[in-house]
Amino acid sequence: MLEIQQLHKVFPNGVVALDGVDLFVPRGEILGVIGRSGTGKSTLIRCINRLEEPTSGSILLDGRDVTRMRGGELRATRRRLGMIFQQFNLLTSRTAAENVALPLEVAGAGRAERRRRALELLALVGLEDRAGSYPSQLSGGQKQRVGIARALAAEPSVLLSDEATSALDSETTDSVLDLLRRINAELGVTVLLITHELDVVRRVCDSVALLDAGRVVESGPLGEVVARTGSALATGLLPSLGRVEVGESEIALDVVLLDDDADERLAAALTDGARVEARATERIGDRRVTRALVVTDDAADAPRLADELRVRGARAEVAR
């Protein structure tokens, strides 16, 4: 479990990078932290592993405050915080296996143990046949897989991923995200994932937090966030309905329903003169999400229809 309480980071030049961040990451989940460049995302992740010193606040890892740790206690805790970097940060003079084994070498593990663990992890990330390859001989996606394997070398309980897919093409990004989700499921590793892409959040995360000007302005499980009225995150996370033409005299409602009985609840709310003009369904986080454009030719009945949909657990807003 990772919990961040009122975390502040003010740089010597007076720039406030983090301004009272509160976050909670349950054990075994993937939390995506999203925001524009300059909002404090990378500073947040570097404060968690103490590559940056927080100005104030607490970072609790299984109830113990990382900000108060020094010396050997801090070094031991850092081994529980695996780090995946945007630009891979592999040593060019070392093979893939030697890069993966580096954290174990620093920790004092023997040569045989380092080799065994490195080969095991390279197999986990699908690179068992590239153990002897140098970074210059690997593609971008393969380098990132080596970086992920290295981050797992010391058997961390938390993985910190700093824009790990932003330097990759879309196909490679998908394969790396699938790998992170598999590692999360198979090893039970908690993941805090920094990104600027909502598609990454939609694809792999259980929950999301929006960071703006060093503050968390919205957060929650994906299934709950997409159902919130006025959510800044929901628009980007919801399934797209494409371009839909609606008659001049008609009223359109943008409707969102969660879970497997959404179609039945939607059909039960419709009245004469109302129809579903477009519909899309996909799984977001741990919930099945249905988005529909409901159109009625009776403008006076639109508020009642919206209320009926809300009674049935939908988010319903007038689209036009």
Side-chain angles (χ1 to χ4, degrees), residues 120-141:
E120 176 184 281
L121 289 169
L122 286 172
L124 176 68
V125 301
L127 291 178
E128 58 267 47
D129 59 337
R130 305 308 299 267
S133 298
Y134 289 88
S136 62
Q137 299 170 311
L138 302 174
S139 68

Side-chain angles (χ1 to χ4, degrees), residues 12-32:
N13 61 3
V15 171
V16 179
L18 301 175
D19 190 15
V21 170
D22 290 305
L23 276 178
F24 177 73
V25 193
R27 183 179 285 106
E29 288 201 1
I30 301 180
L31 168 69

Side-chain angles (χ1 to χ4, degrees), residues 31-313:
L31 168 69
V33 177
I34 192 161
R36 298 185 307 274
S37 296
T39 56
K41 303 188 304 298
S42 292
T43 301
L44 170 63
I45 213 167
R46 290 172 64 84
C47 282
I48 291 172
N49 60 16
R50 296 276 301 280
L51 292 177
E52 290 281 358
E53 285 297 326
T55 302
S56 62
S58 300
I59 301 166
L60 304 177
L61 181 61
D62 292 335
R64 299 173 63 193
D65 192 348
V66 179
T67 67
R68 298 180 178 274
M69 296 178 182
R70 301 290 184 273
E73 184 183 22
L74 178 58
R75 289 193 293 274
T77 296
R78 279 177 170 154
R79 287 196 287 272
R80 298 183 58 201
L81 297 167
M83 184 75 172
I84 307 170
F85 298 92
Q86 178 180 352
Q87 297 298 336
F88 320 132
N89 285 17
L90 302 181
L91 297 179
T92 58
S93 61
R94 294 195 175 214
T95 65
E98 290 167 343
N99 268 284
V100 174
L102 183 59
L104 298 175
E105 182 180 337
V106 172
R111 183 185 299 271
E113 170 60 17
R114 298 199 306 264
R115 178 72 177 174
R116 181 198 65 78
R117 180 69 173 154
L119 294 179
E120 176 184 281
L121 289 169
L122 286 172
L124 176 68
V125 301
L127 291 178
E128 58 267 47
D129 59 337
R130 305 308 299 267
S133 298
Y134 289 88
S136 62
Q137 299 170 311
L138 302 174
S139 68
Q142 289 171 333
K143 290 176 186 177
Q144 194 54 283
R145 286 173 178 267
V146 173
I148 292 171
R150 179 185 57 193
L152 292 169
E155 300 183 79
S157 57
V158 177
L159 273 182
L160 305 174
S161 174
D162 189 8
E163 299 275 12
T165 60
S166 64
L168 306 175
D169 60 58
S170 59
E171 183 177 351
T172 306
T173 291
D174 288 346
S175 69
V176 169
L177 292 176
D178 288 343
L179 174 61
L180 286 175
R181 172 52 85 181
R182 182 164 63 85
I183 287 170
N184 166 257
E186 293 180 5
L187 304 182
V189 178
T190 303
V191 182
L192 192 151
L193 186 152
I194 298 294
T195 184
H196 62 275
E197 301 175 76
L198 274 169
D199 192 53
V200 169
V201 173
R202 184 192 300 110
R203 183 178 178 87
V204 76
C205 294
D206 300 300
S207 54
V208 63
L210 176 61
L211 201 62
D212 187 28
R215 289 179 173 272
V216 175
V217 295
E218 186 179 359
S219 64
L222 262 63
E224 293 180 10
V225 168
V226 297
R228 289 177 188 162
T229 300
S231 167
L233 290 168
T235 301
L237 289 170
L238 285 168
S240 173
L241 295 176
R243 183 174 177 81
V244 182
E245 296 293 337
V246 177
E248 285 294 328
S249 63
E250 294 179 318
I251 300 295
L253 300 175
D254 190 353
V255 179
V256 178
L257 297 106
L258 306 182
D259 301 327
D260 293 335
D261 63 345
D263 291 342
E264 291 83 354
R265 286 184 284 135
L266 179 60
L270 296 184
T271 56
D272 291 341
R275 68 184 187 278
V276 176
E277 189 67 26
R279 181 194 321 228
T281 299
E282 65 180 67
R283 188 157 290 277
I284 300 177
D286 61 351
R287 310 289 289 274
R288 181 177 183 265
V289 178
T290 297
R291 186 184 186 189
L293 194 71
V294 174
V295 176
T296 176
D297 57 8
D298 185 351
D301 190 48
R304 188 213 59 78
L305 177 58
D307 287 342
E308 181 66 23
L309 286 161
R310 292 176 189 129
V311 165
R312 297 178 186 276

